[in-house]
Amino acid sequence: MTVPGRRSSTFIQLLRSGFTDPQTAARLLENDALASVRTDPVLLDALGATADPDLALLGLVRLAEAQTPDERPLLLDTLVAAKPLRDRLLGVLGASEALGDHLARHPRDWQALVTYEAADLHPGLADFERGLADAHDPVALRVAYRRCLLSIAARDVCGTIDVAQTAAELADLATATLRAALRIASAAAPDDAAQCRLAVIAMGKCGGNELNYVSDVDVIFVGDAPNATNGADEAKALQAATRLASHLMRICSETTVEGTIWPVDANLRPEGRNGPLVRTLASHLAYYQRWAKTWEFQALLKARAVAGDPDLGAQYIEAISPLVWQAAERENFVADVQKMRRRVVDNIPAAQVDRELKLGPGGLRDVEFAVQLLQLVHGRHDATLHSGTTLDALHALAAGGYVGRTDAAQLHDAYRFLRAMEHHIQLYRLRRTHLVPEDENDLRRLGRSLGLRTEPVAELNKAWRRHASVVRRLHEKLFYRPLLDAVAQLAPGETRLSPRAAGQRLEALGYADPAAALRHLEALASGVTRKAAIQRTLLPVLLGWFADSADPDAGLLGFRKVSDALGKTPWYLRLLRDEGAAAENLARVLSAGRLAPDLLMRAPEAVALLGDPEGLLPRTREALEQEVMAAVGRADSAEAGVTAVRGVRRRELFRTAAADIIGSYGTEDSPAEEDHGALVDRVGGAVSDLTAATIAGALRAAVQDHWGDTLPTRFAVIGVGRFGGHELGYGSDADVLFVHEPREGVDEQEAAKAAQTVIAEMRRLLQLPTADPPLLIDADLRPEGRSGPLVRTLSSYAAYYRRWSLTWESQALLRAEPVAGDADLGSRFIDLIDPLRYPMEGLGEDAVREIRRLKARMESERLPRGADPTLHTKLGRGGLSDVEWTVQLLQMRHAWAEPGLRTTRTRQALAAAHAAGLIPTEEAQILDEAWVLATRVRNAVMLVRGRAGDTFPSEARELAAVGRYLGYAEGTVGEMLDDYRRITRRARAVVDELFYGA
C-alpha cells in the first residue's frame, strides 16, 4: 500500500517529468508487469524525455503485459541497462500511438530495434528487402512493413537520423514493399508473370526519395510483351501486366486487421484514371509527345524505376528524361505551373487553409513547386539540377548561382522544419494528414517531439509561423533576387546568374523582352548609392507582382519611368520601402494596362496616394468643386485656370483607376472585391462627380475671363445619358443639355450670345492640347439633335416639349440631372421635364410600340460592321442598351405611380422595379448581373488599352489583361468569353419577355 506522503512525492516527480495526467501515470506504474523497474529513476527520466510521457508509459505497460513471463525480464532489463535501445523504444511509444498498438499486437517486434542500435548504422534498400523477404501474403507483408517502419521511427524520434534521411529511408522501404508486393502478386499468378514484363515507376515523393510516413505512393506502370509476334499477343501480355499491377495495388492498399500499408495511386499515368493502367513504352512516349500537359512533365521530374523489370524501367527513364527537360520551352509553361499551384490552393477548404501544412500558403508545396519550376527552367542546360529530391535540387540551384546562398539556406531550414512537423503529425496515428492539430495535447506532443520543451505549444506556433513566412516569400527568394545579382556588382567569390540564365528565367516568368527587362533592372539596381540599395530591396518583390500580371514588361518599364521621375525625391523610395501596401499597389497599377500608368507618368507625385489608407477613397463632389473653384480663382487666365482644373481631373482619374484596379485584382492583404456592382457604382459615381466638377471649373473660368463674376444670363448644364445617371466610364464623353435664362434687364439676343460664347469657350478650354486627357462635351441629345440650337432658354424648352417632343426625347430625359451652373435654373428645368419622362397614367400603347420599333432599328443599323453581337457590350445581345431600354420602358410606364422609379440611375431603377413587383427576383438579378458585367468590360478595356472600346480586345495580351481585371486566372480567357456570352444570353431572354413582350 502506498502511503500518502509517498504518493504526493510521486505526483510531483511525475509532473516535473512532463506527465500531464500524473494520477493515471501513478496507477500505471503500479502495474505488476513493471514490478521490477517501477521505482528505477532511470525509467522515469527516460519516460519524461519522450514527446508524450503519458502515451509512452501506457504503451510500455501494454507491451510489458503482452510479453510472456519468460520474455518480460529481457524487456525490463533492457529498459534499465541499454540506454540507446531504451531511448528508441520509449521514444517511439511516446510519439506514435499506432506503433504502440503494433507492438502490443506483436510484442516481440521491439527486438527489431536491436539490429540498428549503433548510431552510425542506417538500413538501406537491401536491408529492408531482407526484412520483407519472408512475407508471402498481404497480412504478413503488413506486419513486416510495420516492423521495418519501427526501426526508422525509433531513430527518427531520437534524432539519430535527420528529416532528409528519414524521408530517404521511408522511400527505400516503400521500394522494397512494392517489390515484395509484386513478388506476391506474381506468385499468385505465375502464368501472367511469365507472359509479360512489368516495370513500376515511382513518382512524387517516393520517386524523389523523400517519402512521408503515410502518403499515397504514386506510380506509373510500363508493360511489355517479350514474346509477342502480333498485336493479339501484345494485347494479352498487357492484360496480364494489368492484372499483376492491379493485384500489387490491392496488396498495398487494402485494409486488414493489421491496417493498410499505404494507397498506391496510379492517377499520374497518361489520361489519369480514364487511361489504361498499363501501357507499353511506345504508347507512353506517343502520349507525352502529343497530348501531355505541362504539369505531367513536372510530375515526371521525380520519376524513378523501383520495381519489376529493371531493363524496362531504365528504358522508360532514359526515354522520358529529354521530354522533361524540354518542358520549359512549351507555350504557357510558367502560366500552366502557376495555374496548377493556384488550383491546389483554391481547393483547400476555407476552414483548413490556416492549418494546411502541405498545400496552404507558406507550406511545403510552395517550396516544391518553386524548386521544380527553377529546375525545369535552368535544367535544360545544367544537368547538375536533374535531381528528384527537393533539398538536393535546392542545394544544386544554390551551387549553380540560380538561388542566392543565404536564401537557399533559409528555404532549406524552413522546408526541413515543415517536413519534420508533417512527419511527426503523421507518425502519431499513421494516418495521411497534413493538418496541424488544434488540440492542446496534440500540439504539446508535436512540439516536444521537435525538441521544443520549455513552452512547447507557444514555441511550436512561433517557429511554424516564422518558417511559413519565409516560404511565403519564396518567389522573392527563389526567382527574383538572383536576377538582381545578375546585373548588380557582387562581392568577390559570390556566384551570380549569367546573362543567358537571367534572360531564360525572365522569359520563363512571362517577360516578352528579357533583354529590355535586364536593362531596366541594371539601370534601377546597379551602383552603390542608397537609391540603388533600396531598389535592390524592393525589386525582388515587385518583379514577382509584375510577373503575376498579364503584361510584366509594361509593369517593369512603368516602374523604371516613375523611378526616373521621382528617384531623387526623398519620400518616394521610402514610401515604397516602408509602406508595403504602396509598393504592391504600384506594381498592380503599373502592370494592369495603359490608362493608369499614362495618368501617373504625367503626375508621378500621385504615387503618394497609393500609400495612404484613405488615399484611394473617392472624394466627394463638394470637395472636388471647392478645389477646382479655388484653382480657377487663383489663376491669371482662363487657360491657366482650366489647366489647373484638368490637372485635378488627371489626378482624380488616377485615384479612381488605381482604386478600381486594386479592388478588382486584390492584394496579399486584401482579396479582390466580391461585390462587383458596388465597384462599378463607385467608379461611375466618382468619374461622374469628377466630370461635373471639371465642367463647373471650366464654366467658372470661361465666365471669369469674359464677364468677371456674373454672366449676363443664368446658365445651367444638365447631364444626360450616363453622365446624368452617375454611370460614366473612364472613356465616356459628357452628354449634356445647356439651358439659360436672361437676367432681369438683359436683352434676349445678348443673353443668347453670352450663352453661346460661354459654351464655345468651355469646349475650347477643355480640349486644349496638353498632357492631360481631354474632356469632350456632347450636346447631341438636345431637342432636334445636331440641327437644333446648342442652347435654349427654359421657356424655349417648354414650348418645344409642349409641341414637338418625340417619345425618344422623353426617354432621353429619364437620366437628366443638373451638374453645373445655376442651381435654381437647373431645378426648374427638372420640374419642367418630369411630366414628360414620368407621364401620368404611363405610356400609351402607340408610344410603347414606337420605343420598341426604335430599339429594333438601332439593333439592326447601329451595330458596327463585323462586330460580334454576342460580345458587343453596348449594342450586343443582353448588353447595356438591352438592359437600359428595358428599365427605361418600365420607368416611363410606371414611375408616375411608383416614386422609387424616379431616378436617373439604372441599377436603382431596376431595384425599385423589383421592389414594386414589376420584375421577378430572378429576372432582376439576371439583368443586373449582365449590366454590371458589360460595364466592367468597358471599364477594363479602357484601363488596359488606354482608349475606349465596346468589345473585347483582339490582341492576346490585352485580352488576358481584361480577363485578369475581371477575376479570371491566366490562360482562362476562353472561359471568360463563354461566361460573358452565357450571362448576356440569359439577359436577352429576359429583355425579349419584358421589353418586347415576346
Side-chain angles (χ1 to χ4, degrees):
M1 180 176 178
T2 306
V3 298
R6 180 179 173 185
R7 173 172 294 180
S8 176
S9 174
T10 302
F11 273 32
I12 294 173
Q13 188 176 6
L14 289 169
L15 284 171
R16 287 176 176 171
S17 296
F19 287 85
T20 59
D21 186 358
Q23 185 173 356
T24 300
R27 187 173 66 252
L28 288 172
L29 285 170
E30 296 294 327
N31 190 287
D32 290 341
L34 301 183
S36 63
V37 297
R38 67 166 64 107
T39 59
D40 195 313
V42 170
L43 176 62
L44 202 57
D45 290 343
L47 287 166
T50 65
D52 188 338
D54 301 84
L55 181 65
L57 178 56
L58 176 61
L60 177 60
V61 170
R62 295 177 65 202
L63 176 60
E65 288 178 336
Q67 304 293 313
T68 67
D70 293 336
E71 295 170 336
R72 189 175 300 151
L74 176 61
L75 170 66
L76 300 181
D77 289 347
T78 301
L79 285 173
V80 176
K83 178 177 176 10
L85 187 56
R86 174 181 65 239
D87 291 344
R88 291 180 183 179
L89 175 58
L90 295 181
V92 167
L93 293 174
S96 177
E97 182 183 83
L99 288 178
D101 292 341
H102 173 83
L103 287 171
R105 287 196 306 272
H106 304 280
R108 294 182 180 177
D109 278 4
W110 71 269
Q111 297 181 44
L113 301 179
V114 177
T115 308
Y116 304 106
E117 186 172 348
D120 60 348
L121 181 58
H122 303 309
L125 176 58
D127 297 295
F128 291 130
E129 286 192 290
R130 283 192 295 272
L132 304 178
D134 294 333
H136 299 296
D137 62 72
V139 173
L141 181 60
R142 284 167 174 73
V143 174
Y145 173 83
R146 292 287 174 92
R147 187 182 306 120
C148 294
L149 190 67
L150 185 66
S151 69
I152 299 174
R155 287 171 298 110
D156 175 19
V157 298
C158 292
T160 304
I161 54 176
D162 65 10
V163 65
Q165 181 63 30
T166 300
E169 291 189 14
L170 289 168
D172 282 343
L173 177 55
T175 297
T177 305
L178 289 169
R179 292 179 181 180
L182 182 56
R183 169 173 50 81
I184 294 171
S186 298
D191 292 342
D192 285 344
Q195 193 174 355
C196 66
R197 291 199 301 165
L198 177 66
V200 183
I201 310 298
M203 307 284 285
K205 283 186 165 55
C206 184
N209 282 297
E210 52 185 14
L211 196 61
N212 298 330
Y213 277 102
V214 187
S215 175
D216 289 356
V217 171
D218 297 306
V219 299
I220 286 177
F221 295 108
V222 187
D224 189 24
N227 302 315
T229 58
N230 53 50
D233 289 343
E234 183 177 281
K236 289 180 180 178
L238 286 179
Q239 291 171 359
T242 299
R243 288 191 290 271
L244 288 176
S246 298
H247 194 184
L248 178 154
M249 293 175 69
R250 289 196 303 275
I251 290 170
C252 296
S253 305
E254 287 180 347
T255 301
T256 68
V257 67
E258 295 295 339
T260 301
I261 299 178
W262 19 247
V264 175
D265 188 343
N267 289 336
L268 291 179
R269 66 186 184 268
E271 301 180 78
R273 64 183 61 189
N274 297 319
L277 183 62
V278 181
R279 290 176 182 257
T280 63
L281 177 56
S283 176
H284 276 281
L285 289 176
Y287 173 84
Y288 289 129
Q289 289 167 348
R290 189 171 183 183
W291 305 110
K293 297 180 175 60
T294 299
W295 70 263
E296 294 179 274
F297 295 106
Q298 184 181 356
L300 285 169
L301 190 152
K302 292 180 177 292
R304 179 171 64 95
V306 293
D309 190 285
D311 292 334
L312 181 58
Q315 291 170 21
Y316 176 88
I317 299 300
E318 183 179 2
I320 60 100
S321 182
L323 301 178
V324 171
W325 301 110
Q326 295 166 6
E329 299 170 5
R330 294 165 60 92
E331 187 176 358
N332 297 322
F333 163 69
V334 171
D336 288 344
V337 175
Q338 292 174 338
K339 183 165 64 176
M340 182 179 177
R341 176 69 189 115
R342 283 193 294 267
R343 187 164 61 244
V344 168
V345 174
D346 291 343
N347 288 334
I348 303 172
Q352 297 179 0
V353 68
D354 290 336
R355 297 191 295 122
E356 226 331 321
L357 195 63
K358 176 182 178 182
L359 305 178
L364 293 161
R365 189 57 60 87
D366 271 346
V367 180
E368 293 161 356
F369 262 64
V371 168
Q372 291 163 22
L373 183 54
L374 285 176
Q375 286 182 272
L376 292 171
V377 168
H378 299 297
R380 291 174 287 177
H381 308 290
D382 189 343
T384 65
L385 305 181
H386 295 188
S387 172
T389 306
T390 301
L391 289 177
D392 290 348
L394 182 57
H395 175 75
L397 286 165
Y402 305 103
V403 176
R405 290 173 180 170
T406 301
D407 300 339
Q410 291 178 349
L411 261 293
H412 176 273
D413 292 345
Y415 187 73
R416 285 170 61 93
F417 182 85
L418 296 175
R419 281 301 302 271
M421 279 185 69
E422 181 185 44
H423 278 182
H424 291 190
I425 289 170
Q426 293 181 348
L427 180 60
Y428 176 48
R429 285 180 175 156
L430 289 182
R431 291 180 182 171
R432 183 177 180 270
T433 179
H434 312 287
L435 291 178
V436 177
E438 296 178 291
D439 181 79
E440 190 81 5
N441 289 331
D442 289 337
L443 289 171
R444 179 176 180 273
R445 179 180 57 255
L446 178 59
R448 285 172 60 90
S449 74
L450 296 171
L452 308 173
R453 295 303 175 96
T454 305
E455 294 287 344
V457 176
E459 292 175 44
L460 172 67
N461 284 323
K462 182 178 179 181
W464 171 32
R465 300 302 178 188
R466 183 180 73 251
H467 287 298
S469 177
V470 170
V471 174
R472 274 196 298 270
R473 298 193 303 272
L474 86 167
H475 281 292
E476 172 190 350
K477 297 295 183 181
L478 296 183
F479 285 90
Y480 306 114
R481 184 158 290 152
L483 290 170
L484 297 187
D485 293 345
V487 299
Q489 298 295 320
L490 300 184
E494 285 288 320
T495 307
R496 70 178 188 177
L497 289 180
S498 67
R500 177 185 181 185
Q504 287 176 341
R505 183 174 300 189
L506 283 165
E507 184 178 7
L509 291 168
Y511 287 83
D513 190 348
L518 281 174
R519 289 195 298 272
H520 298 325
L521 292 178
E522 186 168 11
L524 289 163
S526 291
V528 295
T529 64
R530 180 173 178 77
K531 171 185 170 184
I534 296 176
Q535 291 281 24
R536 286 194 291 271
T537 301
L538 291 169
L539 276 166
V541 186
L542 290 167
L543 283 169
W545 288 324
F546 294 148
D548 192 41
S549 72
D551 196 348
D553 300 80
L556 181 56
L557 174 61
F559 181 69
R560 180 180 176 184
K561 289 180 177 179
V562 173
S563 295
D564 287 346
L566 293 177
K568 295 181 180 179
T569 307
W571 57 264
Y572 167 63
L573 289 176
R574 186 170 65 246
L575 170 75
L576 298 185
R577 181 193 63 196
D578 299 339
E579 300 289 342
E584 183 172 4
N585 290 342
L586 177 61
R588 300 302 184 205
V589 166
L590 290 176
S591 56
R594 297 178 184 174
L595 178 64
D598 285 350
L599 294 169
L600 181 61
M601 296 312 167
R602 293 165 186 152
E605 66 276 3
V607 166
L609 298 175
L610 303 176
D612 180 0
E614 307 295 321
L616 297 177
L617 296 178
R619 299 178 67 200
T620 66
R621 181 167 163 181
E622 292 75 15
L624 292 170
E625 287 192 1
Q626 184 178 5
E627 181 179 2
V628 300
M629 293 304 184
V632 170
R634 292 191 299 267
D636 296 331
S637 65
E639 287 83 356
V642 172
T643 297
V645 171
R646 290 174 69 177
V648 172
R649 179 169 179 261
R650 175 193 60 228
R651 183 197 68 213
E652 295 304 320
L653 276 176
F654 173 75
R655 186 198 306 271
T656 302
D660 187 10
I661 291 166
I662 294 162
S664 295
Y665 285 76
T667 64
E668 287 185 1
D669 299 324
S670 177
E673 184 93 32
E674 291 186 3
D675 187 352
H676 296 142
L679 195 57
V680 162
D681 290 345
R682 189 158 64 241
V683 171
V687 177
S688 299
D689 286 346
L690 178 57
T691 300
T694 304
I695 290 175
L699 175 59
R700 171 64 64 86
V703 171
Q704 186 173 280
D705 199 48
H706 288 77
W707 296 278
D709 293 335
T710 306
L711 189 67
T713 185
R714 297 180 186 276
F715 185 85
V717 183
I718 311 298
V720 291
R722 294 191 172 279
F723 188 12
H726 299 256
E727 297 162 355
L728 285 181
Y730 300 107
S732 300
D733 295 344
D735 290 315
V736 298
L737 302 175
F738 297 112
V739 58
H740 79 104
E741 185 177 69
R743 296 185 185 277
E744 187 176 351
V746 176
D747 179 73
E748 286 196 12
Q749 189 173 3
E750 179 188 351
K753 182 179 179 181
Q756 294 280 358
T757 301
V758 81
I759 293 170
E761 183 67 359
M762 286 170 56
R763 284 180 152 179
R764 182 186 73 84
L765 292 170
L766 290 172
Q767 296 179 46
L768 285 173
T770 69
D772 298 313
L775 175 60
L776 300 179
I777 296 177
D778 187 342
D780 289 352
L781 290 178
R782 65 186 182 271
E784 301 179 80
R786 295 182 182 179
S787 60
L790 191 60
V791 59
R792 292 174 181 262
T793 63
L794 186 63
S795 59
S796 175
Y797 274 107
Y800 176 85
Y801 288 138
R802 185 170 55 250
R803 294 186 60 188
W804 308 109
S805 178
L806 301 176
T807 303
W808 74 264
E809 292 178 298
S810 297
Q811 183 181 351
L813 293 171
L814 282 168
R815 292 197 284 185
E817 181 174 291
V819 294
D822 190 286
D824 177 67
L825 179 60
S827 177
R828 285 188 284 129
F829 180 86
I830 296 303
D831 291 338
L832 168 68
I833 65 172
D834 273 351
L836 285 144
R837 57 183 180 175
Y838 310 135
M840 184 61 64
E841 303 298 333
L843 290 177
E845 286 304 315
D846 289 345
V848 171
R849 281 194 295 271
E850 175 66 11
I851 289 176
R852 289 172 175 166
R853 186 185 66 79
L854 286 172
K855 176 71 168 66
R857 179 181 173 186
M858 184 179 69
E859 289 177 12
S860 63
E861 296 179 0
R862 292 184 59 188
L863 191 71
R865 180 175 296 177
D868 185 346
T870 68
L871 293 176
H872 198 279
T873 60
K874 182 177 180 181
L875 302 174
R877 179 193 69 189
L880 297 170
S881 176
D882 271 357
V883 177
E884 289 165 1
W885 280 61
T886 301
V887 172
Q888 290 162 14
L889 181 59
L890 288 170
Q891 288 180 282
M892 296 185 75
R893 298 182 78 173
H894 302 284
W896 66 276
E898 295 292 340
L901 289 170
R902 299 172 201 169
T903 175
T904 63
R905 308 185 185 207
T906 301
R907 295 188 72 218
Q908 283 189 7
L910 181 58
H914 170 247
L918 301 175
I919 303 181
T921 300
E922 183 178 0
E923 281 81 350
Q925 291 174 344
I926 288 171
L927 292 181
D928 186 69
E929 182 183 19
W931 189 89
V932 168
L933 177 58
T935 303
R936 294 190 75 218
V937 172
R938 293 183 94 202
N939 285 344
V941 170
M942 185 65 186
L943 286 169
V944 169
R945 303 178 68 191
R947 61 183 188 274
D950 289 320
T951 190
F952 288 87
S954 57
E955 199 275 322
R957 192 173 285 260
E958 291 179 345
L959 184 61
V962 169
R964 298 300 291 276
Y965 171 88
L966 295 177
Y968 290 85
E970 191 168 356
T972 60
V973 293
E975 180 183 341
M976 170 183 67
L977 297 178
D978 289 343
D979 286 347
Y980 183 86
R981 289 188 172 103
R982 173 180 55 80
I983 290 168
T984 53
R985 183 174 63 248
R986 294 174 66 207
R988 179 63 189 207
V990 175
V991 170
D992 285 341
E993 178 183 352
L994 295 179
F995 182 82
Y996 288 110

